Amino acid sequence: MTTGLHPGEAPQDPRPTGNHALPTQERAGREAGHADNRTRSSVITARAAASFEPVGRSVATARSFVRDTLQGWGFADIVDDAVVLTSELVTNAVVHAGTSADVLCLRSDDGVRIEVADHYPEREIPLQAAAVNMGSPDREGGRGLQLCAALAGRWGVEYTPTQKQVWFQLDLPDRAVGTRAAGPSLPAHLLPLADGRVRVAVVQIDRTGAINAWNEDAEELFGYAADQVTGKQLTDLAAWPHTPGTSTGIVEALQLSRWEGSYGIRCADGRVTPVYASHLRVRDTSGEPSTVCLLVRDHERAVLQTPLRLAAADSGTTAEGQTTDPFEVFIGSPAPDDLDGLLQRTVERARDMLDGDSAFLLLATDDETELEVRASTGLPSARQRFARVPVEAGPGRYGSARMPAVHEDLTVVPGAVPLLGGTGMRSVVTVPLKVEGRLTGSLGVAAESPGRYSNEEALRLQFAADRIALAVESARLGELERLRRGSLSFLVEASDLLAGTLDRDQTLALMAQMTVPTLATWCAVYTIADQASEPYLSYVLHEDEERIDGLKALLSKISPPDPVPTPGARVWSAPAAAAHEAALRTSMRSLGLGETDTANSGIGTTLATASAVGGETVVLPLVARNRVIGMLTLGKPSDEHFRQEILELAEDLSRRAALALDNARLYSERTAISQSLQRSLLPPELPAIENVEVEVIYRAAGEGNEVGGDFYDLFPIRDGAYGFAIGDVCGTGPEAAAVTGLARHALRLLAREGYGGPAVLERLNSAILDEGARSRFLTLLYGELWPQEDGSALLKVVCAGHPLPLRLRQDGTVEPAAEPQPLLGVMEDLELYEETVTLDPGDVLLCVTDGVTERREGTRMLGDDGLADVLTTCTGLTAGAVAARIMRAVERFASDAPSDDMAILAMRVPGLQND
């Protein structure tokens, strides 16, 4: 769609000026029963044009375009007729003709002319003097001209070689000069009530939704100075009566050319003030759009509210003299799927119809045991959204929402209507909304004076409720279907995210981030380590990051909720009570009425925290494997409540989150056990050997949830003699760990008993075989080292199935330092022997496990030769530098993470003097 708006100019006639166009149009107009004299004496003061693609959704877009344009021009009286006619004509173009549609709106002093053109000129041209047959009004298409004849002041049809155009003109109703609408004179006692001076807050919102103008009345009404709110988003202050994911929000309302309605503004003291607002979208001389908002207190709405447009000059009768119920005028204005808009319009019109001070509408829950407040006007914000009251509030017909009820004075029967307690309302009439005999809701109107309503008003309200009940139920079911589809999508995504991690801290963060702000304004997660432990506050999140610290401090000062395993959400009043008490104490200290508190962060922070947690707070247990492992706490800001569908969704999420959190706990415990066992299989520290440098690097593969089979050891045997070993047990897990522990401790014990290398390994082989089915074969390099007085070192080594040790000489040559022999844990009778190696000053002995030599990248493997090549580059390096270079080369050999444990043992003899 392309649009153009050019106010204040008289455009050129966009139609073709050829001689054939005018006669053709005149003939068509005459055949339609209208003479089009094509007068252009009226000055065109503005025009708006748009083009729409030949798709079904263009009809709705065209309706919105015409509605917004005419409302922006101030022509609300003719909007409905213009929208109906445009809808039919655009439908003919994009659906039936199958071409794009061009819509042109022209504003003049006496009315509006709208032209709709398609690009299908081949359609039959009506002939002069032919009988006019517009077809049946019941058929799907072809009603556009009939409607033009019925609704428009003038209309006509034009044909050109490239398009067919239908135009109509709607004249403005005659009004007294200088007035847009007028009402009858009323006695003073019937005039709207205002508390002294009426203050009208003027707030201007820029393109981004930020406040850039704030007048003195706004400061008086809401308590903020202009410099405190300038630059902030209006959404930060607006308590919009709106369910996430449905209906129109404040952001969308600010984009409309004109909008009126009720919402709340959060004041500086943390309370929400109900206001009635009139929004007008404007633009400056440079074309920059902004929205001017006029706000008054909700009970003073008569100052701003546009009077209802009635069918005739007589507000009570139609042109045929039939009585018109004023309640019917709202039907059709909200979109069919706009439940919130429908309900809000219903309570506003119901209040106006019975001249009440407030009105409310409640919808029944699925089991029809409770009613939820879904819309209200004239009541405190605490009574506005999702507060719940029982269907059966007391004995008798007046205690049930299933029957109409009239209460002449609520002070005589306190508690008869729980919703109105403490509001100052004295008389009330309530009627049920029923569909096919089933209770779907309740509609009520209340007044501050007693005795205002009788059975006559109850009948009028019941008649209106019966007419709107089906539309409300249809919109409610549509909203529930959207919510359920959204809930399924939300739960699927949540399950995927929770299943993607086994880290406890990340699971806690995901739980909170999935609930805020989708389900709640803030969230706190308590965890319980075991049955004997108290709940611990583990994670806190608020949609406003600046509130997190204050919220965490507040929750830390109050006792956690009881870990009750009963499923479902239960209300927890402690946070709101503690927040309000803290705010009160801070306010008293600021007035010098209490003890000073130097540690206090200031009244602003305390009041902000009180406002953040001042609404409803619910607790859901986190139950996994029949044990309460924590609680999920969800909260709303001041005077807000949770709706039942949100609580049911939160309950489903809490069950999934509990299992994910318990899995993360079990995984963490298993990892901690594995890591502790792995550490026990390795020496706590290496002994210092005179005149010999030793360096060890150990890298365990995986995430630490399995005990590896690689190990190393270096220990003193006796004075001047040291034993060293590096080995690899087949496999991982407990069985491998058992063989690793057996090997390490047996080596130390047998070596210190004076056995030589072959004897040590033969006895270790027997011990492994004695393990039976639990045994694992073992590759092992074992040796004994004696530092010599001349600076060299004498080694005796046995290589039982292990990668051969490599000796690096000072001249850069590399050679194996042992011969391969059978591995351990396979055969009973082994004939092992030891080999003697002398390390000269500057020589290096490198011992590794097969995780180093078998490092792979595709089909390539590092191997013994590759390791030897790397070692040749290490001449002159210390033992630590040699081990580091080898590990770096192994890691760079392949891009993937290592799949096997790796151990590197490097020993270097520097000699008696440093090299």
Side-chain angles (χ1 to χ4, degrees):
M1 182 187 79
T2 58
T3 64
L5 180 63
H6 308 282
E9 64 174 328
Q12 298 294 326
D13 190 345
R15 293 179 299 277
T17 58
N19 293 333
H20 64 282
L22 184 56
T24 303
Q25 181 273 336
E26 288 179 344
R27 288 196 301 271
R30 285 194 295 270
E31 294 303 325
H34 292 266
D36 175 28
N37 57 16
R38 308 292 297 175
T39 177
R40 289 284 182 162
S41 60
S42 298
V43 177
I44 303 300
T45 57
R47 70 188 297 269
S51 296
F52 302 92
E53 299 177 355
V55 293
R57 65 176 180 273
S58 293
V59 179
T61 310
R63 287 198 297 264
S64 299
F65 164 69
V66 171
R67 180 182 296 278
D68 292 346
T69 299
L70 298 191
Q71 286 181 340
W73 289 348
F75 294 160
D77 293 316
I78 61 175
V79 164
D80 291 339
D81 290 345
V83 167
V84 169
L85 293 175
T86 303
S87 179
E88 286 294 330
L89 297 178
V90 173
T91 300
N92 289 340
V94 303
V95 176
H96 302 298
T99 74
S100 60
D102 302 326
V103 180
L104 175 65
C105 301
L106 300 174
R107 183 182 71 183
S108 62
D109 297 336
D110 55 351
V112 172
R113 176 187 175 103
I114 297 179
E115 302 174 355
V116 179
D118 64 31
H119 298 272
Y120 189 48
E122 293 84 0
R123 308 178 87 179
E124 180 182 356
I125 300 176
L127 298 178
Q128 188 173 6
V132 177
N133 180 13
M134 296 186 181
S136 170
D138 297 326
R139 66 177 183 165
E140 181 180 359
R143 298 190 301 259
L145 299 183
Q146 289 179 290
L147 289 173
C148 286
L151 299 179
R154 289 183 297 152
W155 66 279
V157 183
E158 288 183 354
Y159 290 87
T160 72
T162 59
Q163 65 180 17
K164 178 179 73 70
Q165 178 177 276
V166 180
W167 63 270
F168 61 88
Q169 180 159 333
L170 298 174
D171 298 327
L172 297 177
D174 294 332
R175 296 198 184 100
V177 176
T179 64
R180 182 166 181 258
S185 299
L186 295 175
H189 70 278
L190 295 180
L191 295 176
L193 181 66
D195 299 338
R197 173 188 169 187
V198 176
R199 297 189 180 274
V200 180
V202 181
V203 183
Q204 191 162 6
I205 312 299
D206 64 16
R207 178 197 294 268
T208 65
I211 299 171
N212 58 18
W214 185 269
N215 72 342
E216 293 182 359
D217 280 356
E219 295 183 9
E220 289 292 333
L221 286 176
F222 310 126
Y224 299 103
D227 57 354
Q228 291 180 287
V229 296
T230 301
K232 288 188 175 181
Q233 296 287 314
L234 181 63
T235 53
D236 294 343
L237 304 179
W240 187 260
H242 164 61
T243 301
T246 62
S247 187
T248 300
I250 183 68
V251 177
E252 291 80 7
L254 292 174
Q255 300 299 318
L256 299 177
S257 61
R258 185 179 294 275
W259 183 89
E260 286 187 21
S262 299
Y263 51 90
I265 295 292
R266 292 192 179 93
C267 300
D269 60 1
R271 297 186 177 275
V272 176
T273 296
V275 298
Y276 188 82
S278 176
H279 297 175
L280 178 64
R281 187 84 163 158
V282 299
R283 63 174 178 169
D284 59 21
T285 54
S286 62
E288 181 68 17
S290 62
T291 302
V292 178
C293 305
L294 305 181
L295 310 174
V296 296
R297 287 174 291 189
D298 194 65
H299 65 272
E300 297 171 342
R301 63 169 52 205
V303 176
L304 301 179
Q305 189 171 24
T306 302
L308 302 178
R309 182 172 69 88
L310 302 179
D314 184 356
S315 62
T317 61
T318 64
E320 292 76 15
Q322 297 177 347
T323 302
T324 302
D325 190 342
F327 189 77
E328 71 182 12
V329 300
F330 87 95
I331 299 177
S333 294
D337 59 348
D338 183 5
L339 178 61
D340 292 331
L342 180 63
L343 299 183
Q344 192 64 31
R345 186 70 63 88
T346 299
V347 296
E348 291 171 1
R349 296 301 183 258
R351 183 182 71 169
D352 296 341
M353 184 178 70
L354 298 187
D355 193 23
D357 296 311
S358 65
F360 51 89
L361 194 151
L362 303 89
L363 294 183
T365 56
D366 290 340
D367 56 4
E368 296 184 27
T369 60
E370 288 186 315
L371 296 166
E372 279 188 339
V373 179
R374 290 301 302 270
S376 68
T377 181
L379 294 177
S381 58
R383 317 302 166 96
Q384 278 192 337
R385 298 287 285 176
F386 306 120
R388 289 175 291 277
V389 297
V391 170
E392 308 293 342
R397 60 167 295 186
Y398 294 121
S400 173
R402 303 180 188 276
M403 299 292 292
V406 176
H407 294 280
E408 295 184 352
D409 193 348
L410 291 177
T411 59
V412 179
V413 281
V417 184
L419 183 66
L420 299 179
T423 62
M425 299 297 160
R426 297 283 298 276
S427 55
V428 61
V429 53
T430 60
V431 296
L433 276 70
K434 292 184 177 181
V435 176
E436 297 180 351
R438 183 174 58 87
L439 179 68
T440 61
S442 177
L443 177 63
V445 179
E448 294 179 349
S449 57
R452 285 281 296 276
Y453 302 117
S454 63
N455 288 338
E456 180 180 353
E457 283 79 10
L459 289 174
R460 291 182 62 200
L461 190 61
Q462 184 66 70
F463 176 71
D466 292 341
R467 296 185 60 190
I468 195 58
L470 186 59
V472 169
E473 180 66 3
S474 177
R476 186 184 75 90
L477 292 176
E479 180 191 71
L480 286 177
E481 180 62 24
R482 290 191 299 275
L483 283 173
R484 284 166 182 162
R485 287 199 303 265
S487 299
L488 290 175
S489 176
F490 172 78
L491 290 174
V492 168
E493 182 179 358
S495 299
D496 289 342
L497 290 173
L498 291 171
T501 179
L502 287 172
D503 181 83
R504 175 183 176 276
D505 294 336
Q506 189 174 0
T507 302
L508 290 172
L510 284 174
M511 290 170 57
Q513 291 166 6
M514 285 186 292
T515 57
V516 177
T518 305
L519 306 181
T521 305
W522 62 269
C523 167
V525 182
Y526 292 84
T527 57
I528 303 175
D530 52 58
Q531 298 291 352
S533 302
E534 291 293 325
Y536 174 75
L537 182 62
S538 299
Y539 202 91
V540 175
L541 183 65
H542 193 283
E543 64 179 6
D544 183 355
E545 293 183 358
E546 296 180 357
R547 302 281 180 264
I548 295 178
D549 291 339
L551 179 59
K552 186 182 298 184
L554 174 71
L555 295 177
S556 300
K557 295 177 181 178
I558 62 178
S559 300
D562 296 331
V564 178
T566 306
R570 68 181 192 277
V571 176
W572 186 32
S573 59
H580 288 139
E581 290 178 5
L584 178 61
R585 289 195 301 269
T586 304
S587 300
M588 294 180 64
R589 283 195 295 269
S590 68
L591 298 174
L593 301 178
E595 298 180 359
T596 59
D597 185 2
T598 57
N600 186 265
S601 59
I603 186 172
T605 302
T606 305
L607 290 177
T609 303
S611 175
V613 301
E616 189 174 51
T617 302
V618 297
V619 179
L620 298 104
L622 298 174
V623 180
R625 298 173 179 88
N626 298 320
R627 186 174 72 88
V628 179
I629 63 171
M631 286 88 70
L632 178 64
T633 304
L634 306 179
K636 287 281 190 178
S638 291
D639 299 331
E640 291 193 20
H641 299 268
F642 288 97
R643 62 181 306 176
Q644 188 62 34
E645 291 83 359
I646 295 297
L647 293 179
E648 292 173 357
L649 181 58
E651 186 176 355
D652 286 339
L653 176 64
S654 68
R655 287 194 290 266
R656 290 165 169 80
L659 288 175
L661 184 61
D662 199 46
N663 289 337
R665 177 188 63 83
L666 294 174
Y667 178 80
S668 299
E669 292 178 356
R670 178 181 177 184
T671 300
I673 293 172
S674 298
Q675 292 175 346
S676 177
L677 179 57
Q678 184 75 68
R679 287 192 298 268
S680 70
L681 301 178
L682 301 175
E685 59 182 11
L686 299 178
I689 304 176
E690 185 178 359
N691 203 33
V692 177
E693 298 174 357
V694 179
E695 181 65 26
V696 174
I697 296 179
Y698 183 85
R699 293 284 189 273
E703 300 180 2
N705 58 327
E706 290 286 354
V707 180
D710 290 12
F711 71 96
Y712 64 89
D713 201 359
L714 180 65
F715 56 91
I717 299 175
R718 51 188 173 271
D719 292 341
Y722 298 86
F724 66 91
I726 184 169
D728 185 2
V729 178
C730 174
T732 58
E735 293 83 2
V739 176
T740 301
L742 173 63
R744 178 169 173 264
H745 294 294
L747 288 176
R748 289 194 172 211
L749 178 62
L750 294 172
R752 288 171 177 171
E753 289 294 324
Y755 291 98
V760 169
L761 268 59
E762 289 169 1
R763 285 164 174 76
L764 175 59
N765 180 64
S766 300
I768 294 175
L769 293 175
D770 289 343
E771 292 291 310
R774 296 182 301 173
S775 66
R776 291 287 188 273
F777 66 80
L778 166 68
T779 68
L780 180 64
L781 172 65
Y782 174 75
E784 297 179 358
L785 180 148
W786 289 271
Q788 304 297 306
E789 295 181 356
D790 60 358
S792 63
L794 179 65
L795 287 79
K796 293 183 178 180
V797 297
V798 180
C799 187
H802 199 77
L804 300 179
L806 299 179
R807 176 180 180 179
L808 171 65
R809 296 183 181 272
Q810 282 189 327
D811 59 3
T813 59
V814 175
E815 60 185 8
E819 295 291 334
Q821 300 185 56
L823 51 77
L824 308 181
V826 178
M827 300 179 296
E828 293 186 1
D829 297 328
L830 290 180
E831 295 184 1
L832 303 175
Y833 59 91
E834 61 183 8
E835 301 174 69
T836 302
V837 179
T838 300
L839 295 181
D840 297 325
D843 288 355
V844 175
L845 184 70
L846 177 66
C847 309
V848 300
T849 58
D850 60 6
V852 174
T853 57
E854 295 180 1
R855 178 76 162 141
R856 293 179 180 275
E857 174 69 16
T859 59
R860 298 186 308 119
M861 186 173 70
L862 180 63
D864 296 333
D865 295 338
L867 180 63
D869 292 340
V870 177
L871 186 59
T872 57
T873 65
C874 298
T875 304
L877 300 181
T878 64
V882 170
R885 178 169 293 187
I886 297 297
M887 178 56 70
R888 189 161 53 248
V890 172
E891 290 175 343
R892 292 177 178 176
F893 184 80
S895 57
D896 295 337
S899 58
D900 194 5
D901 298 338
M902 295 184 291
I904 299 174
L905 173 61
M907 293 184 291
R908 178 176 180 267
V909 180
L912 296 178
Q913 298 180 356
N914 291 333
D915 296 339

